[in-house]
Amino acid sequence: MADPGMSVTPYWELTFDADGDVDGPERDRLLAQVTDRGVRDLIVFAHGWNNDRSGATALYRRFFAPIPKLAPKARIGYVGVIWPSMRFCDEPIPDFPSAAPALAVGPALDPDTRRALLTTFPDRAEQLDRLARMLDEQPGGEQGLAEFGQLVRQLVGTARPLAAADTSQQGEPLMFSGDTTTACEEFAAALTGPHAEFSLPNPWEGAKELLRQATYYTMKRRAGTVGEHGLGPLVGQLAQAAPGVRVHLVGHSFGGRLVAFALRGLPEGVRTVKSVTLLQGAFSHYAFAARLPQDSGTAGALKDRHKRIDGPLVCCYSHFDDALGTFYPLASRLAGDDRSVLGVDVAGVLGPEWGAMGHDGVQAVPGTAKLDLAAALNGALPGSGCVNVDAAAVVHRGGPPSGAHSDIVHPELVRVVLAAGRID
């Protein structure tokens, strides 16, 4: 159903469940109306972590708003993808008046986050209650942290086997299989950042981050499922119902993973996807690689899938994105990697194998172009292949813990989407 407050038309929403099944009436409405409304270019945007439909539609409303003036002659339609994700409620969202206040002091969970966790893990109320009590009470010693870690592992393992890998590299994240105390200390040290030498990090702050990252890991694999089994096949249906419509996929954070994995679910022969734009994508920068630099026998989960696009794959990234530059590598490294990051620079110790798209762009794909934002907006954007666009000139604001990660509502980034799709 369309959002009555949306500032652009025609606008449709597509709601997917955790298994990638789309709302039937919404799908049928889009397929029936897109041609009748004279749409030539359809921009499909997938949000990252949000707790409800209103948060997602607020993002779409603000991002889409400048487009009619930027491309006044284009016949554009808009789709907002709604999928079940979760944001911890203490994370600010830049430029959003309704955003939550600054990060709460201490590791305790706020009531809204507790409710969101119950929605995300509806069959684990007792387990979640125990986790919340432990964060409130912070029991001393390693035994308390060990129990907390065991509960988190059980929580993550409830949905389906761990399957959020972006490469063919074997293993599961070390934060789920390694020593909980070490993991919590590392997360706490990363949260303290440059002030670590002046204060002793509280491992229970790290325990809260462990729970946050476990929740995000669930969202990460869910994004891949919704993209591959939901959005990709739907784009195939759209190509049959409206073959003249050019589709442009846009995704923020895990929504970037969602639209990228839609390429894996795209039916053979469908060439209607004319551009894909990733905004601070929260998945491996090696996802499209045929082989990893450190392991030639390992490929990205989306190897060569960018070739399914009849146009460019544009990855906007920013080194200011601390959520992807620090916490993503910590959470993504696999069991068997026993390097510690306590007290040292994360990127320097963990190495590039755990890097994220939104922090340094597509890696290990030959021929990938690299542009700054000014060049991308002045006609230098290639018409095909992978393109890294350094968006740090605008993506640099935000507070802890997500930093600049959600700072994507900028006219310059809207113009990148239009340039990628050759929409004018």
Side-chain angles (χ1 to χ4, degrees):
M1 111 182 155
D3 173 20
M6 188 59 60
S7 57
V8 295
T9 58
Y11 171 79
W12 298 271
E13 286 179 359
L14 291 173
T15 304
F16 296 88
D17 66 16
D19 295 319
D21 293 328
V22 67
D23 179 273
E26 290 182 346
R27 174 201 58 210
D28 296 343
R29 190 177 301 117
L30 171 66
L31 296 179
Q33 295 178 358
V34 68
T35 300
D36 292 342
R37 298 297 297 269
V39 172
R40 180 173 182 266
D41 291 285
L42 187 69
I43 301 175
V44 181
F45 198 147
H47 63 81
W49 49 72
N50 279 287
N51 284 344
D52 52 33
R53 181 183 297 269
S54 63
T57 55
L59 169 64
Y60 302 149
R61 185 182 304 113
R62 293 174 64 84
F63 194 87
F64 289 152
I67 293 180
K69 289 185 178 180
L70 292 172
K73 297 180 180 179
R75 292 177 291 154
I76 302 174
Y78 307 85
V79 173
V81 172
I82 309 295
W83 63 284
S85 66
M86 177 192 161
R87 176 180 64 86
F88 269 53
C89 296
D90 59 13
E91 295 178 11
I93 302 178
D95 294 336
F96 279 71
S98 60
L103 182 66
V105 177
L109 294 178
D110 60 90
D112 288 341
T113 296
R114 292 192 189 200
R115 284 192 290 271
L117 283 166
L118 283 169
T119 301
T120 304
F121 304 99
D123 58 342
R124 293 290 168 169
E126 183 176 345
Q127 194 172 331
L128 289 168
D129 184 59
R130 175 60 179 158
L131 285 166
R133 288 202 310 272
M134 294 186 77
L135 288 173
D136 285 338
E137 298 168 2
Q138 303 180 42
E142 294 187 4
Q143 185 175 353
L145 288 172
E147 180 186 351
F148 188 90
Q150 184 178 11
L151 289 169
V152 169
R153 292 185 188 100
Q154 292 172 0
L155 190 70
V156 174
T158 58
R160 60 184 61 184
L162 294 177
D166 292 328
T167 71
S168 59
Q169 195 167 8
Q170 298 299 308
E172 65 179 18
L174 190 60
M175 66 176 176
F176 301 137
S177 58
D179 177 69
T180 300
T181 299
T182 300
C184 292
E185 288 174 345
E186 290 182 350
F187 279 129
L191 282 166
T192 306
H195 305 295
E197 58 183 294
F198 303 109
S199 61
L200 186 64
N202 178 3
W204 283 98
E205 294 278 5
K208 180 179 181 180
E209 187 62 32
L210 179 67
L211 176 59
R212 189 196 310 270
Q213 292 293 340
T215 304
Y216 291 166
Y217 193 83
T218 301
M219 298 305 103
K220 178 182 175 182
R221 66 186 176 196
R222 183 176 293 176
T225 297
V226 173
E228 182 173 1
H229 301 291
L231 182 59
L234 189 144
V235 172
Q237 292 178 301
L238 180 63
Q240 289 185 327
V245 174
R246 307 168 74 246
V247 177
H248 310 278
L249 303 179
V250 183
H252 169 236
S253 187
F254 290 140
R257 190 175 198 264
L258 191 157
V259 299
F261 271 71
L263 299 173
R264 196 155 81 167
L266 200 63
E268 290 295 331
V270 173
R271 301 292 292 172
T272 54
V273 176
K274 302 301 179 180
S275 67
V276 174
T277 305
L278 308 176
L279 303 174
Q280 301 310 116
F283 62 113
S284 173
H285 57 196
Y286 290 137
F288 292 97
R291 59 184 60 85
L292 273 60
Q294 69 274 10
D295 182 1
S296 61
T298 299
L302 299 174
K303 171 187 171 182
D304 292 335
R305 295 291 173 168
H306 61 285
K307 297 178 181 178
R308 302 295 308 278
I309 308 168
D310 190 22
L313 170 78
V314 179
C315 177
C316 295
Y317 69 95
S318 171
H319 68 275
F320 289 112
D321 192 332
D322 292 334
L324 297 183
T326 299
F327 294 104
Y328 183 91
L330 280 175
S332 298
R333 62 189 172 136
L334 302 182
D337 186 337
D338 58 0
R339 287 170 287 181
S340 172
V341 299
L342 285 175
V344 293
D345 176 68
V346 173
V349 173
L350 291 186
E353 57 262 46
W354 312 122
M357 287 278 180
H359 189 252
D360 58 4
V362 175
Q363 301 294 317
V365 177
T368 297
K370 184 174 181 179
L371 304 172
D372 62 21
L373 192 56
L377 297 178
N378 284 283
L381 201 66
S384 63
C386 294
V387 187
N388 288 329
V389 175
D390 186 348
V394 295
V395 180
H396 52 71
R397 291 177 292 177
S402 52
H405 185 65
S406 296
D407 186 23
I408 63 164
V409 183
H410 296 282
E412 294 87 349
L413 298 184
V414 177
R415 289 172 60 198
V416 169
V417 171
L418 297 176
R422 301 296 193 262
I423 304 172
D424 52 26

